[in-house]
């Protein structure tokens, strides 16, 4: 398979060097990161866990109290506390799937069967180590209740902080890439409702224009730009906080999307690419580059600017 004209194909040594630099930048950011976000999340979730844990007998009661269950699932912090009663915790999507229904307040509050399904999920997943008094059918001791609140609050606030951190890092990469395009006088346009399914008929952005969060074929592209030479740049923005997890980010997301785009649109018409930041195992980048995927590091995004400029016909 051919390499996109004008794009930089990194040697193994260059990828290893950039991965090492990105790792050092990641380390420095972590050392400098303030704890305020975690502490704010802990304070919010501690209050939610105190309420939910105190209400456990009513939550698990038979007959079920639909209005109580509905009031818990409609408020973000209380729903998080409810989900983190489990061992292990479950996601909101998991809960919807397990009850095969919406979590809308009105629907749960007026539907005892659905409320009962949520109660039954909590019964099934409830952590016996944190909540032994429930399994022993007795009241908790003050120490047991305090320990359960603390453990639940630490777990939920840590996860919330990590999720927000990943989202912020990815958004920062996307924002920097958009800034590059804007500096080159590219204009943002709205993507078609059905996404880009053909390069003819006006689906794709014209040269000098770009779209964000656009479906390209069967997969989403974070930024899709019309290059000066008529090709389409389909750019994904990825942040990774683990070399192990970087395999999922690169080989199971970026490379899979890139291969699909090339099959649908042709290697002469589309440039699959990724702007990346954080911890990435060089091996995975080397493998994905052969898809091909053009990589741009967040610590040197001027490479993206140079590539776009190189597509101008002389």
């Amino acid at each position: 398979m051919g390499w996109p004209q004008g794009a930089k194909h990194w040697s193994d040594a260059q990828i290893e060097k950039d991965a090492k630099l990105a790792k050092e930048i990641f380390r420095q950011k972590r050392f400098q990161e303030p704890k305020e976000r975690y502490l704010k999340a802990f304070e919010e979730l501690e209050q939610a866990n105190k309420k939910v844990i105190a209400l456990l007998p009513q939550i698990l009661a038979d007959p079920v109290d639909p209005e109580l269950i509905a009031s818990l699932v409609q408020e973000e912090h209380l729903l998080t506390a409810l989900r983190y009663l489990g061992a292990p915790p479950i996601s909101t999507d998991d809960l919807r799937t397990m009850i095969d229904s919406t979590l809308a307040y009105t629907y749960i509050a007026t539907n005892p069967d659905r409320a009962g399904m949520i109660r039954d999920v909590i019964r099934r997943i409830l952590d016996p180590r944190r909540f032994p008094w429930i399994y022993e059918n007795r009241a908790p001791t003050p120490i047991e209740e305090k320990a359960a609140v603390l453990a639940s609050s630490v777990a939920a606030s840590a996860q919330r902080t990590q999720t927000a951190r990943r989202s912020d890092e990815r958004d920062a990469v996307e924002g920097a890439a958009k800034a590059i395009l804007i500096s080159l006088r590219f204009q943002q346009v709205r993507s078609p409702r059905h996404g880009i399914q053909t390069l003819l008929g006006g689906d794709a952005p014209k040269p000098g224009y770009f779209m964000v969060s656009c479906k390209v074929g069967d997969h989403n592209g974070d930024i899709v730009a019309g290059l000066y030479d008529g090709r389409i740049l389909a750019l994904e923005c990825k942040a990774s906080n683990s070399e192990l997890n970087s395999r999922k980010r690169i080989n199971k997301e970026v490379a899979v999307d890139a291969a699909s785009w090339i099959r649908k649109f042709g290697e002469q018409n589309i440039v699959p690419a990724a702007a990346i930041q954080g911890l990435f195992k060089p091996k995975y980048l080397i493998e994905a580059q052969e898809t091909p995927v053009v990589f741009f590091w967040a610590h040197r995004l001027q490479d993206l600017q140079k590539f776009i400029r190189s597509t101008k016909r002389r």
Side-chain angles (χ1 to χ4, degrees), residues 109-229:
T110 58
N111 194 323
D113 288 342
R114 293 300 177 186
M117 292 177 72
I118 294 175
R119 175 204 59 197
D120 292 345
V121 168
I122 301 305
R123 280 178 175 172
R124 292 283 298 273
I125 69 171
L126 192 69
D127 186 349
R129 301 298 295 272
R130 272 182 292 156
F131 309 105
W133 66 89
I134 297 296
Y135 289 88
E136 296 168 8
N137 197 28
R138 59 176 175 82
T141 67
I143 291 176
E144 285 176 326
E145 190 166 11
K146 185 176 181 180
V149 169
L150 177 61
S152 299
S153 302
V154 167
S157 53
Q159 183 60 49
R160 177 173 289 182
T161 303
Q162 290 174 350
T163 300
R165 176 193 285 162
R166 284 195 297 271
S167 178
D168 286 353
E169 289 171 346
R170 182 203 157 283
D171 289 348
V173 177
E174 182 175 322
K178 285 176 61 178
I180 292 289
L181 290 166
I182 292 170
S183 73
L184 293 170
R185 300 183 182 277
F186 274 61
Q187 297 180 46
Q188 182 174 343
V189 293
R190 184 177 298 177
S191 61
R193 184 173 299 177
H194 56 273
I196 299 172
Q197 300 303 325
T198 176
L199 299 185
L200 303 174
D203 276 4
K206 296 177 181 178
Y209 293 84
F210 73 96
M211 303 169 178
V212 298
S213 301
C214 178
K215 188 174 183 181
V216 184
D218 296 325
H219 303 275
N220 289 329
D222 293 320
I223 298 176
V224 183
L227 298 172
Y228 297 119
D229 60 11

Side-chain angles (χ1 to χ4, degrees), residues 223-271:
I223 298 176
V224 183
L227 298 172
Y228 297 119
D229 60 11
R231 290 180 295 171
I232 299 299
L233 173 69
L235 183 73
E236 299 201 62
C237 301
K238 297 294 183 182
S240 171
N241 60 9
S242 161
E243 287 188 350
L244 180 62
N245 290 339
S246 70
R247 180 174 183 270
K248 177 177 183 292
R249 300 281 175 268
I250 297 301
N251 299 70
K252 294 188 176 181
E253 294 176 7
V254 172
V256 169
D257 292 357
S260 174
W261 292 333
I262 291 170
R263 285 193 302 270
K264 184 173 181 66
F265 300 106
E267 63 182 47
Q268 301 301 318
N269 300 315
I270 195 162
V271 180

Side-chain angles (χ1 to χ4, degrees), residues 269-283:
N269 300 315
I270 195 162
V271 180
I276 58 176
Q277 174 178 281
L279 304 183
F280 289 89
K281 192 168 185 176
K283 173 186 175 183

